[in-house]
Amino acid sequence: MSAEPVIAALDLVKYFPVRRGVLIPRKVGDIRAVDHVSLALEHGETLGVVGESGAGKSTLGRLILRLMAPDAGEIRFAGRSLAHMDAAALFDFRRHVQMVFQDPFGSLNPRLTVGASIEAPLRNFRMGTAPQRRRRVMELLELVGLDPRHVNRYPHEFSGGQAQRIGIARAIATSPRVIVLDEPVSALDVSIQAQILNLLSDLKERLQHSYVFIANNLNVVEHISDRVAVMHRGRIVEVAPREVLYARPAHPYTQALLASVLTLDASRSRLKVAEEPQAGDGEERAEAAAGCRYRFQCPLAMDVCARTAPPLEPRESEGHRVACHAR
């Protein structure tokens, strides 16, 4: 394994202002979508990022892809900071870091054939001649389990699972090193989900990609990930190898998430995650954002939790870090 991670997020911050008023909108606070997040993706690794809706997972993915700029912090690709890259280096970065979106039909242009959609990144990055690109498209369709003879069909002629395979083919067309998958199976039937996950695993083994796999389904994340990061309200609260996190979750939020998963095992309880009190304006909002953001629901909350955000600290198991004062 290389000493340098293929992707490193260092103290990333992304806030979105909250405004009120129609004629004269005024800022009343911030949505702290990503709040001082640091993560590393190793070569050939699948890093699962899990949490409830609104935890900041998709924003983190877009920051990694440089689809939006962070308010603070930096992204490093193979040891180089994106902030210090010139136009040529950023162009190369975008070829090597691709994305698969949640909605397979929404991510495909309905006016383009699937062949044209898959070929688009090859044209954008000026890869190959027209005949070479055409052959590459046919190879990619076969690689993702689709009939190359359907290259001139349009997206509406395919099922949801087939459309997602097209999206995957488009993402791997430029032979990227990293693929960010933003809830890639959540819009699919359960039986189709398993097929897509198996396809992603096969492609990773064959092509040596690294994945950032974003999801709120813990069963899906367990199936595909090597390591898992748990996000809660913009912060990473726990990171661990998959086997460690699912067997010995340490953060109360991770424990609540795992306990809430539907299971046929009657001995496994399910916890209801309580609603967090909503803060008002000004000082009330700032006070609610201070400290540990899970303290409103946490059974282990202490006075210090309201004053100081717990740092992400290592535990006994290698690679296991937890942000919790009580742990």
Side-chain angles (χ1 to χ4, degrees):
M1 184 174 291
S2 171
E4 288 283 357
V6 61
I7 288 282
L10 305 175
D11 207 25
L12 282 185
V13 173
K14 186 65 181 180
Y15 294 171
F16 297 103
V18 177
R19 304 183 187 277
R20 289 183 184 171
V22 178
L23 296 179
I24 307 178
R26 63 187 181 92
K27 181 178 175 180
V28 296
D30 292 297
I31 297 174
R32 303 189 175 199
V34 174
D35 195 8
H36 299 283
V37 166
S38 296
L39 279 177
L41 175 69
E42 302 294 345
H43 295 264
E45 178 186 41
T46 297
L47 174 64
V49 181
V50 68
E52 296 171 290
S53 297
K57 307 183 301 296
S58 294
T59 301
L60 176 61
R62 282 159 173 74
L63 290 172
I64 290 172
L65 287 157
R66 198 64 178 186
L67 295 179
M68 59 175 65
D71 296 327
E74 67 173 341
I75 299 291
R76 291 182 174 271
F77 174 66
R80 295 187 61 192
S81 173
L82 268 59
H84 300 144
M85 286 184 179
D86 58 19
L90 277 174
F91 185 80
D92 187 63
F93 163 78
R94 296 192 185 283
R95 181 174 77 84
H96 284 294
V97 183
Q98 292 290 310
M99 185 170 193
V100 175
F101 296 90
Q102 178 179 3
D103 180 2
F105 290 108
S107 66
L108 296 173
N109 189 333
R111 298 185 178 183
L112 294 181
T113 65
V114 299
S117 290
I118 296 171
E119 187 184 356
L122 297 173
R123 292 198 309 272
N124 292 342
F125 291 102
R126 302 187 287 273
M127 299 177 68
T129 63
Q132 289 172 335
R133 292 196 298 267
R134 186 73 173 180
R135 287 195 297 271
R136 174 67 171 159
V137 168
M138 305 297 272
E139 293 170 358
L140 289 166
L141 284 171
E142 189 170 4
L143 189 60
V144 298
L146 295 175
D147 192 336
R149 293 175 299 178
H150 298 163
V151 66
N152 292 320
R153 291 188 177 183
Y154 289 86
H156 72 271
E157 300 180 72
F158 294 87
S159 67
Q162 290 173 325
Q164 194 58 292
R165 289 174 185 267
I166 295 166
I168 293 169
R170 181 179 59 184
I172 66 174
T174 60
S175 301
R177 297 174 63 183
V178 177
I179 301 177
V180 177
L181 302 117
D182 189 4
E183 309 231 20
V185 299
S186 63
L188 306 176
D189 293 338
V190 174
S191 60
I192 305 302
Q193 287 183 11
Q195 296 175 19
I196 297 299
L197 292 174
N198 289 335
L199 171 64
L200 290 170
S201 296
D202 291 343
L203 290 175
K204 177 192 166 188
E205 184 174 347
R206 182 183 301 189
L207 304 176
Q208 297 299 300
H209 299 307
S210 299
Y211 290 153
V212 177
F213 191 94
I214 297 167
N216 54 23
N217 186 321
L218 281 92
N219 288 329
V220 167
V221 171
E222 183 180 17
H223 178 82
I224 197 169
S225 300
D226 300 309
R227 197 160 50 97
V228 181
V230 181
M231 285 192 76
H232 176 260
R233 295 197 63 213
R235 292 175 178 166
I236 300 292
V237 298
E238 188 165 4
V239 182
R242 176 192 59 202
E243 297 84 357
V244 173
L245 186 125
Y246 281 83
R248 299 186 300 279
H251 197 282
Y253 177 65
T254 309
Q255 294 170 354
L257 281 180
L258 290 172
S260 68
V261 175
L262 288 173
T263 176
L264 296 178
D265 184 357
S267 65
R268 186 172 179 178
S269 63
R270 292 196 295 143
L271 300 181
K272 178 178 176 58
V273 179
E275 288 292 328
E276 178 177 329
Q278 296 299 308
D281 293 344
E283 293 182 2
E284 290 182 2
R285 186 180 296 274
E287 183 180 350
C292 177
R293 296 180 186 172
Y294 190 62
R295 68 184 185 274
F296 300 104
Q297 303 128 289
C298 182
L300 305 178
M302 304 177 290
D303 290 343
V304 67
C305 300
R307 298 192 305 268
T308 308
L312 198 62
E313 296 182 327
R315 288 176 59 82
E316 296 81 5
S317 300
E318 184 177 355
H320 191 182
R321 293 184 295 156
V322 182
C324 182
H325 292 301
R327 300 299 188 185

